[in-house]
Amino acid sequence: MDASLRRELGAHLRAARAQVTPEDVGLSAGPRRRAPGLRREEVAALAGVSVAWYTWLEQGRVGTSRQVIDAVCRTLRMDDDARRHALALAGFLPGTPLAAGERAALGAATRALLAGLATTPALALDERLDILTANAPYRALWGDPALLPAARRNLLLHLVTGPPGPYRVTDDEPLLRGLYQHFRTATAHAPDDPRAAEIVRLLHRERPEAAHWWDCRTVADFRPVTVTAGPRRLTFSLLRPVGDPGVLLLTQT
C-alpha cells in the first residue's frame, strides 16, 4: 500500500471519528471530554484492535487487513460511500485509481454520443471534473468552456465563478457540495496530484466564504441534483461510458 494512500486513509478515518459522538455508540461523554467525536482508544476498543495499532493506522504508518477496515468503518458508522472509499484507499476494492497527472482519453464513440444529444446539454469530464468537451446544447446554454483558460476549464470552477452564458444557478449549494464530494472521492486516490491541488486552491480563492466546503473531507458518489437556472429547472446527472475508463458524462435534463 502506497505511503501517500496510507496517509489519506488515516485522514479519512480521523475525519470520520470526529463526526461520531460517544452517545452514538452507547458511551458516556463524561465531563472532561474536550475534542469532538470519539477518542482513538474508544474506536480501538469498539473495533477490537489495539490502541497502538489504530493510532498507527490513523497516522498512515501501517497497512491492515480488510477485516480491520470493515470493523473500523462499522465503529465509525460510515455510510456506504465512505466505507467504499476507505476500502479503496486500503487497496481492497477493484478498479484503476486516478494517477497524478493522468488524463482520460475520450473515444470517438463517446464523442458521437455526446454530439447526438441534440436537446440535452452535456459535458465530457475527467475524474477531476476537468472539462474535456461540451456539446452544442451545453454551449448554447452556458457558453463554450473551450474559450476559458486551461486552468479554469473545470466544472466546479465553471459553476463557482459563473459560466459565460446568460443563466446562473441560483440554488447551487447542493450541486456544488455534491460535485465536490465526488471530486474528493476520485482525487483522494492521488493525494500528490498537482492539478487536483490547483483546483482546490482556485476554489478557495473564488469562493472563500465556502472554505468549509472545500476543507470538508466528506466523500460520496454524485447523485442527481435539480437546480434552477433562469427560467429552467435542470437535473444534473453523472454517467460513465463503459468504453472510456476515467471519463464521466454530465447531462442536464
Side-chain angles (χ1 to χ4, degrees):
M1 183 179 174
D2 182 83
S4 62
L5 291 180
R6 288 202 303 268
R7 291 191 295 271
E8 187 65 28
L9 174 61
H12 182 54
L13 297 179
R14 288 194 301 275
R17 178 165 60 87
Q19 301 302 313
V20 182
T21 67
E23 292 82 2
D24 289 336
V25 293
L27 299 176
S28 171
R32 296 186 178 182
R33 187 177 296 267
R34 297 177 181 176
L38 297 179
R39 297 186 177 114
R40 283 174 174 166
E41 57 266 30
E42 292 168 337
V43 176
L46 291 167
V49 298
S50 73
V51 177
W53 188 261
Y54 181 73
T55 299
W56 294 340
L57 188 62
E58 276 201 4
Q59 292 172 345
R61 294 167 58 188
V62 294
T64 192
S65 68
R66 175 161 185 160
Q67 181 181 8
V68 168
I69 294 295
D70 280 333
V72 170
C73 289
R74 285 194 299 272
T75 297
L76 296 177
R77 300 198 162 198
M78 289 188 186
D79 62 21
D80 289 343
D81 287 333
R83 177 178 171 274
R84 280 195 299 270
H85 189 63
L87 289 169
L89 290 174
F92 296 117
L93 286 186
T96 303
L98 184 70
E102 182 182 15
R103 294 284 294 179
L106 189 60
T110 303
R111 289 183 183 276
L113 171 63
L114 202 66
L117 297 173
T119 60
T120 300
L123 290 172
L125 309 163
D126 70 11
E127 293 281 15
R128 300 171 188 83
L129 304 185
D130 276 339
I131 298 171
L132 303 176
T133 191
N135 69 1
Y138 186 95
R139 294 194 298 270
L141 181 62
W142 298 111
D144 189 351
L147 301 178
L148 297 169
R152 309 192 69 80
R153 212 169 294 154
N154 176 273
L155 177 61
L156 283 163
L157 293 167
H158 197 44
L159 293 169
V160 161
T161 58
Y167 301 124
R168 297 289 183 272
V169 176
T170 55
D171 47 350
D172 65 356
E173 179 175 350
L175 176 63
L176 287 173
R177 294 190 74 155
L179 288 170
Y180 187 71
Q181 289 167 8
H182 191 100
F183 165 88
R184 272 211 35 79
T185 303
T187 59
H189 294 278
D192 302 322
D193 180 25
R195 174 55 180 159
E198 179 184 35
I199 292 167
V200 175
R201 179 180 60 79
L202 290 170
L203 287 170
H204 273 279
R205 190 178 78 182
E206 298 298 337
R207 196 84 168 257
E209 74 278 10
H212 57 292
W213 300 355
W214 320 134
D215 291 334
C216 182
R217 300 194 64 86
T218 303
V219 292
D221 290 329
F222 181 78
R223 271 78 172 178
V225 173
T226 301
V227 300
T228 301
R232 301 188 180 204
R233 293 283 288 168
L234 295 171
T235 298
F236 285 63
S237 303
L238 282 181
L239 314 172
R240 290 187 183 275
V242 175
D244 285 340
V247 172
L248 300 167
L249 295 184
L250 175 88
T251 61
Q252 299 171 346
T253 51

